[in-house]
Amino acid sequence: MLRALTSALRLPRPWRPLQTRSCSSDGAAGDPEIQVRALAGPDQGITEILMNRPSARNALGNVLVSELLEALARLREDQQVRVLLFRSGVKGVFCAGADLKEREQMSEAEVGIFVQRLRGLMNEIASSAVMGLIETTRGLLPGAGGTQRLPRCLGVALAKELIFTGRRLSGAQAQALGLVNHTVPQNEEGNAAYHRARALAQEILPQVDIASGMAIEGICYAQNIPTQDRLEGMAAFREKRPPRFVGK
C-alpha cells in the first residue's frame, strides 16, 4: 500500500531555505535547519516544513526554534497554504526534544527567555497541524507546555505517571492512549509516517477551502444576530456579570 502511494505522488517543488542569520546551533554557518516547500499539481495548497539538523537529531535549539517561528509567521500570511505538514530530513528520527546540551550553556535568564519562545512555538504548531511527539527525560520537568497539554489529553493521573517516570512510549502505545491518531509499519525508506501524513493531508485538502469556510461562517453568524442570547451576551459583557442565556 505504501509503495503504491509513493508511486502515485507527484513531484513537488524544490525545498526553499529560509533567509536567516548565518549562525547555526550545530556551528555550521549558513546551513538552514528549517526548509519550506509548497507542493504543486493536485497537492497545491499543501506546504511542508522540513526539520534538518542531523547532528542533533533535530533537537530544539535556538536557531531551529527561531527558524520555525519565522517560517510559521510567513506561512500564516500566505493564503495559498491550506494544509501544513511537519516532517524530518533526518532518517529515523522526528525530533529529539529540547537541546539539553545547548541549554546547559545558557544563563538562567537565557533559559527563561528560550523556554518562553519554545512555548510560543508549541502553541503555533498546535494551531497549525495535528502532530505530536512526547519524550521526557528523567529528572527534568516539561517546560514547554507539557504539564498543561498532557493532562488535557490523558487526564491528570496518567499524565503524572508519564511525566514523573519519564517513560518512553512506542507508537502503538501512544495510539492506544490517544496521543496520536495513526501508527504505520515502517518501510524500507524509513518514511512511512510521512506518506501516511501526506495521504491524510490530501484527504483534508478539498475540505478546507477558505472562501467556502468564510461563507459558511457568515451564514451561521447571520442566524445568531437576531437572537435574544446574543443581545444578552453583549449586555452581560458590558455590565460585567455572568450571562443569563435562555436558548432563544
Side-chain angles (χ1 to χ4, degrees):
M1 175 64 181
L2 290 173
R3 292 171 186 252
L5 178 61
T6 303
S7 63
L9 297 176
R10 300 297 183 89
L11 291 176
R13 298 175 183 173
W15 290 105
R16 173 167 52 87
L18 292 174
Q19 300 300 318
T20 54
R21 299 184 303 275
S22 60
C23 61
S24 170
S25 302
D26 294 336
D31 292 343
E33 297 180 1
I34 293 298
Q35 299 178 38
V36 178
R37 72 172 172 183
L39 305 189
D43 291 335
Q44 185 172 356
I46 300 175
T47 294
E48 297 180 349
I49 288 182
L50 179 81
M51 297 180 291
N52 191 35
R53 193 186 173 201
S55 65
R57 296 170 59 85
N58 288 340
L60 297 170
N62 260 318
V63 172
L64 192 143
V65 169
S66 296
E67 293 184 3
L68 262 178
L69 286 170
E70 180 182 348
L72 291 170
R74 292 184 183 181
L75 293 172
R76 194 186 308 114
E77 304 300 323
D78 188 344
Q79 296 185 359
Q80 301 302 314
V81 178
R82 291 157 60 188
V83 184
L84 186 59
L85 289 182
F86 290 81
R87 63 178 301 195
S88 172
V90 182
K91 188 174 182 178
V93 63
F94 178 69
C95 173
D99 188 337
L100 299 183
K101 293 181 180 179
E102 183 177 284
R103 190 177 298 183
E104 190 178 14
Q105 306 303 316
M106 298 179 183
S107 67
E108 291 184 6
E110 289 172 333
V111 170
I113 294 172
F114 177 75
V115 170
Q116 193 66 29
R117 295 174 65 238
L118 194 55
R119 289 187 187 126
L121 174 62
M122 294 299 103
N123 288 334
E124 287 283 351
I125 292 176
S127 64
S128 301
V130 179
M131 176 170 291
L133 178 71
I134 295 179
E135 180 174 341
T136 60
T137 303
R138 298 188 182 191
L140 297 178
L141 184 70
T147 62
Q148 301 304 306
R149 295 189 182 91
L150 203 55
R152 287 166 169 78
C153 291
L154 302 179
V156 174
L158 186 52
K160 283 182 177 181
E161 178 181 330
L162 293 179
I163 291 172
F164 295 159
T165 62
R167 183 181 305 145
R168 295 189 179 189
L169 302 176
S170 68
Q173 289 172 324
Q175 185 183 29
L177 292 175
L179 286 173
V180 298
N181 292 353
H182 305 279
T183 59
V184 291
Q186 189 59 281
N187 58 11
E188 294 179 0
E189 294 77 19
N191 58 5
Y194 163 67
H195 286 303
R196 181 66 187 92
R198 186 160 168 179
L200 182 59
Q202 292 166 335
E203 185 178 352
I204 293 172
L205 190 60
Q207 312 300 328
V208 290
D209 172 63
I210 186 64
S212 299
M214 294 296 285
I216 293 171
E217 179 184 288
I219 293 171
C220 293
Y221 188 74
Q223 296 174 349
N224 181 60
I225 290 176
T227 64
Q228 295 179 27
D229 282 348
R230 185 182 74 90
L231 299 176
E232 167 61 16
M234 292 189 295
F237 176 79
R238 183 181 65 255
E239 297 167 9
K240 295 182 174 56
R241 60 172 174 80
R244 296 183 291 269
F245 296 128
V246 297
K248 296 181 181 179

